Amino acid sequence: MALILATGVALGGDYKIPLIGSKAPKFSANTTNGKITFPNDFGKSWKILFSHPADFTPVCSSELLELAYLQPEFKKLGVEVAVISTDNVDLHKMWEAHLEELNYKNRGQLEIHFPIFEDPDGKSSRLYGMLHEPVSTNRDIRGVFIIDDKNVVRSVNFYPVEVGRNMGEYVRMVEALQLSDAQQVFTPANWNEGDDVIVPHFPYTKEELAANPELEEQYYSVGDRIWFKRGVSSTQD
């Protein structure tokens, strides 16, 4: 029994998932853009690391084409995108070239600027808990890690191999996180850029309201526990 427990702990350690608030694990590997150390080589940018099961598969191909389409949106937010799978870099390059020839959703051909990391031994994927043995011992599931400019993990998501991800959600997520950091607000369910946000405290005192009556127009409450601030944008100073 002791041996079984010890083995279970060891296996669990190999597949530990970085938690929100922890430092993003570092790894170096060959990519379609040369050898890169993640996340360090992306400097003070925000980063998103996507894992996928296999090159040339239909769902993974649709996801990378959506990421390519959203590259300008991520650039505006100061986000660097990276992709990883257990396929080798030569296959990655062939897949990338194939995807760049396609006209997906009548958008025209798109260039893929983000790097695709190789991980044939699964070592880097294990650092991020992306190999889920009940599904596969050598293919990643669909993992997503959002990492801020200080290389701290801010969001963790996993999806089954059968279900493609909503790539626009990661634009929304970064917008929400950056807004929260900049203005100390929370975003309610189904929030989108420019929507009202939640303030985590009573927004003003009687004295502040007397000095600035316009404050009453900027905030409103739902019940006595949820206070909103109207129309705040993540692009505002």
Side-chain angles (χ1 to χ4, degrees):
M1 180 62 74
L3 178 61
I4 292 173
L5 289 173
T7 303
V9 171
L11 288 173
D14 288 342
Y15 291 86
K16 183 177 179 181
I17 297 170
L19 301 179
I20 291 174
S22 65
K23 279 288 186 180
K26 181 175 72 172
F27 64 88
S28 297
N30 292 321
T31 82
T32 49
N33 294 352
K35 189 167 185 178
I36 294 175
T37 297
F38 185 90
N40 302 55
D41 284 351
F42 294 116
K44 295 296 183 180
S45 299
W46 284 61
K47 304 99 182 161
I48 307 181
L49 180 64
F50 295 88
S51 64
H52 70 266
D55 296 359
F56 286 99
T57 54
V59 176
C60 295
S61 294
S62 71
E63 290 184 327
L64 260 68
L65 288 165
E66 292 292 349
L67 280 178
Y69 180 70
L70 289 171
Q71 285 173 133
E73 297 298 317
F74 287 118
K75 185 176 181 179
K76 284 193 296 185
L77 293 168
V79 175
E80 295 284 351
V81 170
V83 176
I84 187 170
S85 85
T86 54
D87 289 319
N88 64 56
V89 73
D90 291 333
L91 190 61
H92 286 341
K93 289 180 178 179
M94 288 189 287
W95 186 36
E96 180 182 75
H98 166 69
L99 293 175
E100 290 181 336
E101 293 176 349
L102 301 180
N103 180 14
Y104 185 63
K105 295 184 177 180
N106 294 317
R107 293 168 174 165
Q109 295 175 322
L110 297 169
E111 292 186 2
I112 295 173
H113 301 298
F114 50 82
I116 309 173
F117 282 82
E118 71 170 3
D119 187 27
D121 60 4
K123 185 176 179 181
S124 300
S125 296
R126 286 187 176 89
L127 287 175
Y128 282 83
M130 290 171 169
L131 282 167
H132 291 196
E133 283 194 345
V135 176
S136 175
T137 59
N138 63 353
R139 294 292 185 187
D140 291 347
I141 47 73
R142 301 186 194 281
V144 187
F145 286 80
I146 297 178
I147 297 160
D148 68 17
D149 53 348
K150 299 178 180 63
N151 290 340
V152 173
V153 175
R154 301 296 299 275
S155 175
V156 179
N157 290 273
F158 290 104
Y159 295 74
V161 296
E162 303 89 350
V163 179
R165 290 161 282 196
N166 182 340
M167 294 305 179
E169 167 63 7
Y170 306 109
V171 174
R172 189 191 80 94
M173 181 74 79
V174 173
E175 288 173 340
L177 287 168
Q178 292 182 350
L179 175 62
S180 179
D181 286 356
Q183 301 201 29
Q184 290 75 56
V185 294
F186 300 154
T187 56
N190 300 331
W191 176 88
N192 285 294
E193 169 69 14
D195 288 350
D196 299 347
V197 297
I198 293 173
V199 291
H201 50 75
F202 195 84
Y204 48 76
T205 65
K206 290 182 180 179
E207 292 76 16
E208 288 171 334
L209 182 60
N212 184 9
E214 293 181 358
L215 286 173
E216 196 168 19
E217 298 300 318
Q218 296 176 28
Y219 299 92
Y220 65 94
S221 65
V222 177
D224 61 354
R225 294 181 182 272
I226 308 177
W227 277 89
F228 284 88
K229 186 175 183 180
R230 297 184 189 277
V232 178
S233 172
S234 62
T235 59
Q236 292 176 350
D237 294 332

